[in-house]
Amino acid sequence: MNKQLYIKEIQALFDDVQRSRIFEDQKMMTDAVPVFPVAEINDEYEKRKGTEGFDLRDFVMTHFDFLGAKVSVQREDRLPIGEHIEKLWDELTRDAYEEKGTLLKLPKPYIVPGGRFNEFFYWDSYFIMLGLQVSGRTEMMENIVENCSYLIQNVGFVPNASRTHFLSRSQPPYFSLMLELLFDTAGDETIYTRYHDTLEKEYAFWMNGEEWLDHGSSVKRITKTTDGDLLNRYYDAENAPRPESYLIDIEDRESAGNEEFYRNIRSACESGWDFSSRWFADGEHIQSIEILNIAEVDLNCLLWHLENTLAKSSALQDMREKENYFTERAAKRRQMINKYFWDENTRIYKDYHIKKNTKTPSEHIAALYPLFLGIADQEQAEGVANAVAEKFLYQGGLVTTTKNSGQQWDFPNAWAPYQWLGFKAMKNYGFDELAEKIKHNWCSNVERVYKNTGKLMEKYNALDTETIAGGGEYPNQDGFGWTNGVYLTLKQN
């Protein structure tokens, strides 16, 4: 069986299962593992469906295993939060030494986010590593890096998560930051040289197609502006409903009237922000999603870091030509970040609309990236810091956008990654008081919810700290990898 085609090989059954809503969560069927050869399951299904007394749910439960029950760790003897997280690292550890259903095999154990997310996720893993560093679990940090490298070497990139139906997209490229974090932990410079080839392969994935571009055109993850400058965007190779949200996508597509609707939805998943008004043409409705028309400030900052890291790893190996090449690329991208994403009027970084040649209206917390990575100048940093204090920081932490659309990556939700980015960004430019406030507000929120529920959540409500966060396609999940990681590292800093 070709693992990459697995869901397509059971497409008729899969389609019927998802459309019949026999599972509350559509991810259930994508994670199911066939217990008989797929051809046999298909034959049996064709024979039996529509016959008297046939029960689709019973058929599925008989022919598939549903491995990896949800991780929900709630103890009567409520441990202090730090001790609880230490126990969670072990309970969130998985391995996949062979492929099962849609699950990709990986060479090393890893940490899963928790709840319905029972596989290796790309950008989550960086924020998990921050906590592993505090916990002294260097070997698991190394495992995460090794798994990412394995995927880049074998697939060409790190998929959104380690399942076959994510092989058409990645997630925010954090691999170079993972290496930096591992170097800061272990102090071993050979980390950069050992993974140089992996860094180059990931860079080639994000830059694939640049030689085909005319001014004002886009291909895959890269766009050339009318001025002839290169910027990157999020993209997915497929234009079809997501298996894990199959029926939701089909229903949303019916009212969208956009031939690239599915690809836009999938591309937003590559950004990690699925979903947000940040991507909506009308700022309100998912049917107006147009992420393919947008070059993002966060992605371009992360690729600047990748270029910088490639220059560094080239220098360590005396590869002068490559060092010069990546140094020049990073310098050029730094200029482009300030040319295309800095908004002089609102004094904040925004995304860039490729077709309209203008900034997008959405004000969002990804404006932190140029400060987190040290790309902004002091004056720009001051503008962002003012916006953070006035528009984004609430009693329970930093919100993602200023718009309440009902989507989970919008106001009033506070997500762990941006609390760390916010704290570090403010520290980098001397806004220590604001950094401490971000840390205090969010950590207090996490502690309050833990005290009340015994759980660490995927996201938090920053505005109403009496309420658990909501919005999105599924209920708020507990576990939760990146919350655990960011909480531990903030408490130590």
Side-chain angles (χ1 to χ4, degrees):
M1 181 173 67
N2 182 333
K3 293 291 182 183
Q4 293 195 33
L5 295 176
Y6 163 59
I7 286 178
K8 288 174 183 166
E9 288 180 352
I10 58 162
Q11 185 61 40
L13 171 60
F14 183 84
D15 184 79
D16 289 346
V17 169
Q18 299 296 56
R19 287 179 186 271
S20 68
R21 304 177 194 264
I22 62 172
F23 299 118
E24 193 178 331
D25 186 348
Q26 298 239 306
K27 192 176 186 293
M28 283 282 288
M29 192 60 196
T30 68
D31 296 0
V33 178
V35 293
F36 305 104
V38 167
E40 282 181 28
I41 295 174
N42 283 338
D43 288 346
E44 184 79 3
Y45 182 60
E46 285 305 315
K47 277 184 214 155
R48 291 180 55 193
K49 72 174 179 180
T51 60
E52 190 178 343
F54 177 73
D55 186 301
L56 181 58
R57 186 185 176 91
D58 281 353
F59 180 86
V60 170
M61 299 309 285
T62 305
H63 290 80
F64 294 85
D65 263 344
F66 293 83
L67 307 169
K70 291 185 178 182
V71 178
S72 179
V73 188
Q74 189 172 2
R75 297 180 180 83
E76 295 310 311
D77 57 336
R78 194 72 52 81
L79 292 168
I81 191 168
E83 289 178 40
H84 179 71
I85 292 172
E86 287 301 331
K87 287 191 179 295
L88 274 175
W89 290 140
D90 295 327
E91 292 176 41
L92 293 169
T93 297
R94 299 284 182 279
D95 59 56
Y97 298 127
E98 58 186 52
E99 293 185 337
K100 290 180 179 175
T102 58
L103 191 67
L104 298 171
K105 72 175 182 180
L106 289 170
K108 301 288 185 179
Y110 50 89
I111 308 279
V112 299
R116 74 200 280 267
F117 303 111
N118 208 38
E119 52 279 301
F120 180 86
F121 274 79
Y122 185 10
W123 79 312
D124 293 62
S125 294
Y126 172 77
F127 298 97
I128 287 167
M129 283 176 71
L130 291 169
L132 295 172
Q133 182 187 47
V134 175
S135 297
R137 298 188 181 222
T138 310
E139 186 181 352
M140 185 58 84
M141 295 174 70
E142 290 168 346
N143 288 349
I144 288 169
V145 166
E146 191 58 31
N147 284 333
C148 286
S149 180
Y150 170 85
L151 288 164
I152 292 167
Q153 292 293 342
N154 287 277
V155 178
F157 60 97
V158 184
N160 182 154
S162 60
R163 291 197 179 270
T164 55
H165 51 281
F166 293 133
L167 290 171
S168 58
R169 64 174 177 270
S170 185
Q171 264 194 333
Y174 264 86
F175 184 68
S176 61
L177 277 155
M178 290 176 176
L179 293 187
E180 185 174 87
L181 186 59
L182 194 53
F183 171 71
D184 289 345
T185 309
D188 179 6
E189 273 194 347
T190 66
I191 286 162
Y192 289 109
T193 53
R194 272 206 316 273
Y195 291 106
H196 177 86
D197 182 53
T198 306
L199 290 163
E200 281 198 315
K201 273 195 167 68
E202 183 172 49
Y203 188 65
F205 166 76
W206 287 96
M207 301 306 291
N208 184 13
E210 64 173 297
E211 67 277 12
W212 307 326
L213 286 173
D214 296 322
H215 288 212
S217 69
S218 304
V219 64
K220 298 181 183 178
R221 290 163 179 82
I222 193 154
T223 186
K224 187 178 272 191
T225 69
T226 50
D227 287 356
D229 299 316
L230 291 177
L231 295 171
N232 286 82
R233 64 174 184 170
Y234 292 111
Y235 180 82
D236 187 296
E238 287 200 31
N239 187 30
R242 292 168 296 153
E244 73 278 15
S245 299
Y246 192 74
L247 198 55
I248 297 167
D249 284 358
I250 288 169
E251 289 171 349
D252 284 340
R253 166 70 177 83
E254 284 170 5
S255 52
N258 174 359
E259 286 183 10
E260 290 271 274
F261 176 77
Y262 293 136
R263 197 191 308 278
N264 272 285
I265 286 288
R266 288 163 160 271
S267 302
C269 293
E270 184 168 85
S271 78
W273 285 48
D274 42 328
F275 294 100
S276 169
S277 59
R278 180 182 175 189
W279 315 128
F280 303 164
D282 67 2
E284 300 286 345
H285 304 101
I286 199 164
Q287 288 81 1
S288 73
I289 191 166
E290 61 162 353
I291 190 171
L292 293 172
N293 291 332
I294 297 170
E296 296 84 4
V297 62
D298 44 359
L299 175 57
N300 283 275
C301 287
L302 289 167
L303 289 171
W304 171 85
H305 189 271
L306 175 52
E307 288 162 343
N308 241 16
T309 305
L310 276 162
K312 182 177 187 171
S313 63
S314 299
L316 287 167
Q317 297 170 88
D318 292 321
M319 296 190 290
R320 295 291 167 231
E321 200 174 317
K322 283 189 175 182
E323 180 192 354
N324 292 338
Y325 175 78
F326 288 113
T327 300
E328 285 169 19
R329 286 228 130 178
K332 177 69 172 169
R333 193 181 294 269
R334 186 180 198 133
Q335 288 175 353
M336 295 309 100
I337 286 165
N338 287 314
K339 175 177 175 180
Y340 288 98
F341 303 118
W342 175 250
D343 185 355
E344 193 60 46
N345 297 324
T346 54
R347 313 287 301 154
I348 194 172
Y349 288 94
K350 291 184 173 180
D351 297 323
Y352 182 74
H353 198 290
I354 299 159
K355 297 278 174 68
K356 295 178 181 173
N357 300 318
T358 185
K359 314 282 185 299
T360 59
S362 175
E363 293 183 316
H364 54 75
I365 203 66
L368 289 168
Y369 273 88
L371 284 69
F372 174 65
L373 295 173
I375 294 167
D377 63 29
Q378 192 63 34
E379 197 179 322
Q380 289 166 325
E382 202 164 301
V384 175
N386 289 338
V388 164
E390 292 166 18
K391 298 179 179 180
F392 292 95
L393 183 56
Y394 286 82
Q395 185 183 348
L398 290 171
V399 295
T400 43
T401 71
T402 55
K403 184 179 277 285
N404 189 345
S405 70
Q407 297 293 340
Q408 64 172 354
W409 282 88
D410 274 330
F411 183 92
N413 288 345
W415 293 78
Y418 286 93
Q419 316 310 311
W420 176 246
L421 266 59
F423 176 80
K424 283 295 286 180
M426 296 308 119
K427 283 282 189 186
N428 286 345
Y429 289 86
F431 304 111
D432 291 353
E433 194 177 325
L434 186 52
E436 291 301 321
K437 200 171 177 186
I438 292 166
K439 168 181 164 177
H440 171 267
N441 289 17
W442 185 75
C443 287
S444 299
N445 200 1
V446 172
E447 289 158 2
R448 176 194 60 78
V449 171
Y450 178 70
K451 185 181 175 188
N452 292 341
T453 67
K455 296 176 180 179
L456 289 114
M457 308 305 289
E458 180 189 21
K459 55 185 178 282
Y460 291 84
N461 188 317
L463 184 61
D464 175 3
T465 56
E466 298 305 309
T467 306
I468 288 176
E473 296 178 332
Y474 54 85
N476 197 357
Q477 302 295 299
D478 65 272
F480 195 86
W482 63 15
T483 297
N484 307 343
V486 170
Y487 177 82
L488 286 183
T489 196
L490 280 174
K491 293 301 276 191
Q492 182 172 284
N493 276 274

